[in-house]
Amino acid sequence: MRLSLLCVCLCGLCLCLPADAAQLPAGAKLAARQEIVRGNATEPATLDPGKIEGRPESNLVVDLFEGLVSLDPDGRVIPGVAEKWESLDNGRVWRFTLRKEARWSDGSPVTAGDFEYAFRRMVDPATASQYAWFLGKACNVQNAMAIVEGKRPPNELGVKALDAHTLEITLEKPVAYLVATLAHGSLMPIPRKLVERYGDRWTEAGKLVGNGAYTLAERVVNERIVLVRNKHYWNDARTVIDKVTYLPINNQSAEYQRYRAGGVDMTADGGVPSEQLAQIRRDIPTELVTWPQLATYYYSFNLRRPALQDVRVRRALSLAIDRDIIATKIIGTGESPAFSFTPDGATGYAPIQHDWQKLSQVQRNDQARALLMEAGYSPAKPLRLQILYNTSEAHKKIALVVAAMWKRVGPVQVELLNQEWKTYLDTRNRGDFEIVRASWVADYNEPSSMVDLFHSRHGNNDGKYNNPKYDAIVDQAKTTLDATERTRLYQDAERILGQDFPAAFLYHYTNRHLIKPWVKGYGRNPEGRIRSQDLYLLAH
């Protein structure tokens, strides 16, 4: 059930008190068996919070662990392990008071030292975390980036356990949205003893100890991951679902058939095959649940490849993509064409319109054709490209359509390469690609979580885009406390992306699931997070 809260903030001190649990609808009755089956799109690459990369991992991590703060079903920040917090020194220092009843799933207490260890471990280059940049770039924690770059030791990170239940975070400069960043899945506490005892094997079933609402009961790779309630979780009395089974089904049609047969209660985000949409809207229209998501689907250009170092080529490839067709015809569940990276609904952002965006698609195609000719490509010298994507019917369909759009404007030869999720991540992280399908879901509801991706020091800047002017604007925006000025700076950043074309933005996501009518408790979180502890099943 949902957790309602009364939050009071005075003079930098924030205290959030749980209110009564949400009431079931009048006359509704809970199912006797509170066990849910959820789709997860693919096998997660890891269950280690400090090493997560994408949605398949974070879905599990937010059930198994809990950070200082969390998000309610509609995406609002709520207390997690921290029961209150205060800001000091004009926002440079934040002090979090941890609840004494917080426990690991083995019954031992969760302490400030567990967070100190987790945060230091994440920025330690030896950990090789894909989110190592987050504490520095998003949170602006003191010395974080210097540690990531090997210039300082991890114990100099601006995170300190003052005692067992008090954690202090020191920033290099104040960040207005700091608390919201701390709900991220990579910032969970880590049980140090287990890591030191088992190494990378500490997340295996039978070994993993978490502090979230659930604990790991079983994991059969590429088949299922089973979670059961953590009886030691501090808020277990308000958890309703007893058992959660995640199925890593990367074939949307297969997941859909399993859903229709009663084998899945909630499909993975995006788990709605476009070829079945007409049937879904005819047969089970109320079970198709969508809402806007702070996320963008895009193709990242590898700027280390000679052909893609030419901005004329990148501009031509971007202009030639008919985003309206992809958003409305290929996907067709409420997605919107993406001309900028930041979705319109991000808090603190006002959309802009690029000059080329105002052109018709015919005019864009004409300009793309001229740019490719100007760059020296012809039937005798075609532009040869490869698109890398992770295995998925939807990704393949989009890649085929984009390849056809490119061929329509010039001598472009496209090879498609699909890989399973973990292999795809390894290939992408090595930079062994020309063009890679990617998506970015905001780590918190603020434009910096989007535009920061193309900062030269960002850990997920896969194409290695580097523009000092862009970096300076993004850096300034993140530490600007005036909201109006911050919005203007984010717009300036988007204008630069719309001139340099480090990527081709295709569409802004909606959260879209098929959900059985007896599953309740989910909200409309724009970040797409659905915690199992918020759900409950009605009798049916």
Side-chain angles (χ1 to χ4, degrees):
M1 291 192 226
R2 301 184 188 181
L3 179 63
S4 298
L5 295 132
L6 173 63
C7 294
V8 180
C9 296
L10 292 171
C11 300
L13 174 65
C14 292
L15 176 62
C16 296
L17 304 171
D20 293 336
Q23 298 296 311
L24 293 173
K29 294 183 179 179
L30 288 175
R33 190 175 183 179
Q34 292 291 317
E35 299 182 0
I36 189 171
V37 180
R38 300 180 58 175
N40 196 50
T42 192
E43 180 70 25
T46 181
L47 296 180
D48 185 333
K51 297 184 177 183
I52 65 172
E53 289 193 56
R55 179 60 60 79
E57 293 79 37
S58 64
N59 287 341
L60 278 295
V61 163
V62 299
D63 276 356
L64 293 167
F65 299 89
E66 184 174 67
L68 293 169
V69 298
S70 189
L71 301 176
D72 76 1
D74 291 313
R76 293 180 290 262
V77 175
I78 58 175
V81 176
E83 61 183 359
K84 62 181 179 180
W85 49 87
E86 61 180 327
S87 64
L88 308 167
D89 191 17
N90 294 318
R92 278 197 68 250
V93 177
W94 288 79
R95 194 166 291 166
F96 295 83
T97 301
L98 278 53
R99 57 183 81 250
K100 295 180 180 179
E101 65 271 28
R103 292 285 184 273
W104 291 101
S105 54
D106 64 0
S108 59
V110 178
T111 69
D114 296 322
F115 283 95
E116 180 188 80
Y117 169 72
F119 289 12
R120 288 180 177 179
R121 174 177 179 261
M122 191 171 82
V123 297
D124 188 340
T127 303
S129 170
Q130 289 299 312
Y131 264 93
W133 56 269
F134 191 77
L135 282 171
K137 297 293 295 150
C139 308
N140 210 22
V141 174
Q142 189 176 62
N143 295 331
M145 291 308 297
I147 296 168
V148 170
E149 294 167 355
K151 299 175 182 176
R152 287 178 177 267
N155 62 8
E156 291 188 11
L157 183 68
V159 176
K160 184 177 182 181
L162 300 183
D163 57 46
H165 297 102
T166 309
L167 184 75
E168 187 173 89
I169 299 177
T170 301
L171 310 181
E172 294 186 348
K173 291 182 180 179
V175 175
Y177 47 86
L178 174 73
V179 175
T181 69
L182 300 178
H184 193 262
S186 66
L187 299 183
M188 306 297 184
I190 298 290
R192 181 173 187 168
K193 290 182 180 179
L194 290 187
V195 176
E196 293 176 345
R197 183 184 307 169
Y198 298 114
D200 290 340
R201 297 174 57 233
W202 77 272
T203 58
E204 295 177 358
K207 296 184 178 68
L208 188 148
V209 171
N211 73 317
Y214 296 90
T215 189
L216 180 62
E218 180 185 16
R219 182 176 186 180
V220 181
V221 175
N222 291 321
E223 186 175 329
R224 65 182 178 274
I225 297 176
V226 181
L227 313 183
V228 295
R229 275 172 70 169
N230 173 11
K231 64 181 180 180
H232 294 291
Y233 177 56
W234 69 270
N235 207 23
D236 180 57
R238 293 186 179 179
T239 302
V240 178
I241 298 291
D242 295 316
K243 179 181 177 181
V244 188
T245 301
Y246 282 95
L247 303 180
I249 306 172
N250 61 27
N251 184 297
Q252 290 182 334
S253 295
E255 184 183 42
Y256 172 69
Q257 295 302 328
R258 198 154 180 173
Y259 177 86
R260 293 301 302 266
V264 174
D265 297 300
M266 175 187 289
T267 63
D269 181 28
V272 182
S274 56
E275 60 269 20
Q276 303 291 347
L277 271 176
Q279 182 185 60
I280 290 169
R281 286 172 171 148
R282 182 186 68 234
D283 297 345
I284 50 172
T286 60
E287 296 177 35
L288 175 60
V289 181
T290 67
W291 67 93
Q293 183 174 186
L294 296 177
T296 301
Y297 189 108
Y298 65 102
Y299 278 0
S300 180
F301 300 132
N302 190 339
L303 301 191
R304 291 164 293 190
R305 301 299 173 95
L308 295 170
Q309 289 174 352
D310 189 335
V311 70
R312 295 172 299 182
V313 172
R314 301 196 304 271
R315 182 183 180 94
L317 295 175
S318 185
L319 291 179
I321 297 173
D322 191 330
R323 292 156 173 82
D324 289 292
I325 286 179
I326 292 173
T328 61
K329 304 297 184 182
I330 306 302
I331 308 300
T333 50
E335 291 72 16
S336 59
F339 298 93
S340 294
F341 192 53
T342 305
D344 292 356
T347 299
Y349 180 66
I352 62 170
Q353 189 174 43
H354 304 286
D355 289 342
W356 56 269
Q357 183 180 345
K358 302 172 186 177
L359 303 175
S360 69
Q361 189 58 50
V362 171
Q363 291 172 316
R364 291 178 204 151
N365 289 347
D366 289 342
Q367 189 176 123
R369 192 173 293 112
L371 286 165
L372 289 175
M373 290 180 61
E374 183 182 319
Y377 295 99
S378 66
K381 182 190 173 184
L383 174 62
R384 293 184 173 90
L385 300 169
Q386 183 186 77
I387 299 175
L388 170 66
Y389 63 94
N390 56 297
T391 302
S392 159
E393 293 172 89
H395 299 331
K396 180 180 180 179
K397 184 177 295 186
I398 291 172
L400 286 169
V401 170
V402 169
M405 291 174 176
W406 287 344
K407 291 178 183 178
R408 187 175 58 194
V409 299
V412 183
Q413 297 179 5
V414 182
E415 176 190 1
L416 305 186
L417 175 63
N418 77 290
Q419 295 178 339
E420 295 300 319
W421 178 247
K422 190 170 183 179
T423 304
Y424 155 85
L425 290 177
D426 290 341
T427 303
R428 190 186 74 185
N429 293 338
R430 291 196 311 270
D432 189 15
F433 65 89
E434 289 182 329
I435 299 172
V436 63
R437 180 223 76 91
S439 59
W440 188 254
V441 182
D443 292 314
Y444 47 94
N445 190 352
E446 215 273 342
S448 63
S449 185
M450 300 298 297
V451 297
D452 201 34
L453 183 71
F454 292 97
H455 193 290
S456 63
R457 298 172 74 190
H458 195 287
N460 293 99
N461 180 358
D462 301 312
K464 302 306 176 188
Y465 172 66
N466 187 341
N467 182 330
K469 181 179 178 182
Y470 181 84
D471 288 356
I473 289 173
V474 172
D475 287 340
Q476 182 182 351
K478 289 191 297 182
T479 57
T480 296
L481 300 183
D482 180 79
T484 301
E485 176 63 9
R486 206 161 58 239
T487 296
R488 185 190 65 78
L489 290 166
Y490 290 139
Q491 291 175 323
D492 288 346
E494 287 286 1
R495 289 188 181 95
I496 293 175
L497 294 181
Q499 296 168 356
D500 287 356
F501 297 93
F505 311 132
L506 274 63
Y507 65 86
H508 298 304
Y509 280 85
T510 58
N511 291 285
R512 49 193 172 99
H513 301 262
L514 289 173
I515 304 178
K516 296 295 185 183
W518 51 81
V519 178
K520 302 296 180 183
Y522 57 89
R524 296 292 189 272
N525 185 341
E527 296 173 43
R529 179 185 295 187
I530 299 178
R531 304 187 307 171
S532 297
Q533 72 189 83
D534 294 319
L535 304 177
Y536 56 90
L537 306 182
L538 297 178
H540 58 280

